[in-house]
Amino acid sequence: MLLELFQWLSADIRAFSVFNYITLRAVLATMTALTIAFLLGPGVIRWLAAKKIGQAVRTDGPQTHLAKSGTPTMGGALILLSLGLATLLWADLSNRFVWIVLIVTFGYGAIGWVDDWRKVVHRNPKGLSAKAKFFWQTVIGIVAAVWVAFSISAPSSEKALQLFLQWLASGLSAELPTRTDLIVPFFKSVSYPLGIFGFIVLTYLVIVGASNAVNLTDGLDGLAILPTVMVGAALGIFAYVAGHAGFSKYLLLPYVPGAGELTVFCGALAGAGLGFLWFNAYPAEVFMGDVGALALGAALGTVAVIVRQEIVFFIMGGVFVAETVSVMLQVGWFKFTKWKTGTGQRILLMAPLHHHYEQVGWKETQVVVRFWIITILLVLIGLSTLKIR
């Protein structure tokens, strides 16, 4: 929005041409989102408290969490508001990738909003049913996967549409360029062709998996949001490289025309997340809720696919992965042992993983900060793949 204004002004005042630089607009988007979150945060928290939109704490969880009952939740709406406004102000709104990521983010945010609203306002403990939630996640995920598949294979939306129509006309037999191959980090030229259907399946799994992984991680004050900020900022660097013909060639990464504009989105995400962390740090004044967790996870997954860094995303989001795997192992082992012996057994003291460490004796702040430190290390490993090949 502002980019068009500054481009118009730059015709007469040369100084305004500086706003054409993605890096500057990414910094400004970060600052804008952070400022919006700071300014609107207290009002949003008061509104949530007035509407009695408070967190219900599970009675079978850590006993120290019972004091959190009634803390305003659905604070993820603050993140989405800050993120959306900053992106609309500073991003190039003619860029197809910006709209793909925004639609996926707010689509998953809407799913989380309905789920949270039913739980805390309508006092329905089930919220949105698991089947309904998964159905809508699948619908948005598949549509996004198809959209991304043809968008990264063409230099413009018009070319992407032509490519899609050609694929339909060929009886779904046409193939996409090598830009859609699965790239293996730390190797110069190791990649695996996926084909159109393989790419769509992978993209769907990354988006839906990342969305639910962040949601599972969001169980302690500040635990999910800072790793989200760090991974999002790192993906912004990958987006800038992928969208720059010179840098992508030098670093042996796929060149995806237009992907660089996602640096602005990632900057806005980082700013919005840091602004939310101000209120979500221990002891939290507000919780993110599904509206924020589902949306942010989907956003990260979508950006990772567009910049062709799914495996690197898996590495950098190792905390999210570990939390998800811990739940899968806990549930799977319990069901297996109950079927085998009649008595269900557990691998962890409690799942997800962060609750296990609380039960071991770690304080909540210890768990959160140590998981943050692990994420910093994993993000640095991920960034090292830019050069180590």
Side-chain angles (χ1 to χ4, degrees), residues 278-364:
W278 183 270
F279 306 102
N280 185 236
Y282 181 87
E285 300 176 56
V286 64
F287 297 139
M288 190 188 306
D290 285 7
V291 61
L294 292 179
L296 292 176
L300 293 178
T302 307
V303 173
V305 171
I306 293 173
V307 302
R308 311 305 307 119
Q309 296 299 326
E310 298 91 347
I311 295 179
V312 171
F313 174 53
F314 183 87
I315 294 171
M316 296 192 299
V319 165
F320 302 138
V321 175
E323 295 274 22
T324 305
V325 171
S326 71
V327 173
M328 295 171 63
L329 290 177
Q330 184 87 325
V331 173
W333 183 249
F334 184 86
K335 289 183 176 181
F336 174 76
T337 52
K338 187 174 183 179
W339 168 76
K340 197 75 173 176
T341 65
T343 303
Q345 299 176 7
R346 292 175 172 83
I347 299 174
L348 303 173
L349 296 177
M350 185 178 292
L353 188 61
H354 55 262
H355 287 325
H356 169 78
Y357 284 108
E358 283 190 292
Q359 297 293 74
V360 167
W362 291 12
K363 295 180 180 179
E364 178 175 348

Side-chain angles (χ1 to χ4, degrees), residues 154-368:
S156 65
S157 297
E158 294 75 15
K159 293 292 184 180
L161 179 59
Q162 291 177 12
L163 198 60
F164 175 69
L165 295 176
Q166 291 172 7
W167 179 60
L168 293 178
S170 69
L172 311 184
S173 61
E175 291 298 329
L176 294 176
T178 57
R179 197 177 290 143
T180 58
D181 291 355
L182 177 63
I183 303 207
V184 180
F186 299 112
F187 296 94
K188 285 186 177 181
S189 57
V190 178
S191 61
Y192 295 97
L194 298 172
I196 292 181
F197 288 106
F199 180 86
I200 291 173
V201 170
L202 175 66
T203 301
Y204 164 78
L205 292 175
V206 171
I207 294 174
V208 175
S211 176
N212 288 294
V214 173
N215 196 30
L216 287 172
T217 306
D218 184 35
L220 301 179
D221 298 355
L223 177 60
I225 190 61
L226 191 58
T228 299
V229 167
M230 289 188 285
V231 174
L235 285 174
I237 296 174
F238 280 100
Y240 184 75
V241 172
H244 193 288
F247 290 157
S248 59
K249 181 178 180 180
Y250 174 70
L251 295 173
L252 303 176
L253 296 177
Y255 171 51
V256 183
E261 200 64 31
L262 291 179
T263 309
V264 179
F265 173 87
C266 290
L269 186 153
L274 289 174
F276 177 76
L277 180 60
W278 183 270
F279 306 102
N280 185 236
Y282 181 87
E285 300 176 56
V286 64
F287 297 139
M288 190 188 306
D290 285 7
V291 61
L294 292 179
L296 292 176
L300 293 178
T302 307
V303 173
V305 171
I306 293 173
V307 302
R308 311 305 307 119
Q309 296 299 326
E310 298 91 347
I311 295 179
V312 171
F313 174 53
F314 183 87
I315 294 171
M316 296 192 299
V319 165
F320 302 138
V321 175
E323 295 274 22
T324 305
V325 171
S326 71
V327 173
M328 295 171 63
L329 290 177
Q330 184 87 325
V331 173
W333 183 249
F334 184 86
K335 289 183 176 181
F336 174 76
T337 52
K338 187 174 183 179
W339 168 76
K340 197 75 173 176
T341 65
T343 303
Q345 299 176 7
R346 292 175 172 83
I347 299 174
L348 303 173
L349 296 177
M350 185 178 292
L353 188 61
H354 55 262
H355 287 325
H356 169 78
Y357 284 108
E358 283 190 292
Q359 297 293 74
V360 167
W362 291 12
K363 295 180 180 179
E364 178 175 348
T365 50
Q366 286 180 306
V367 177
V368 171

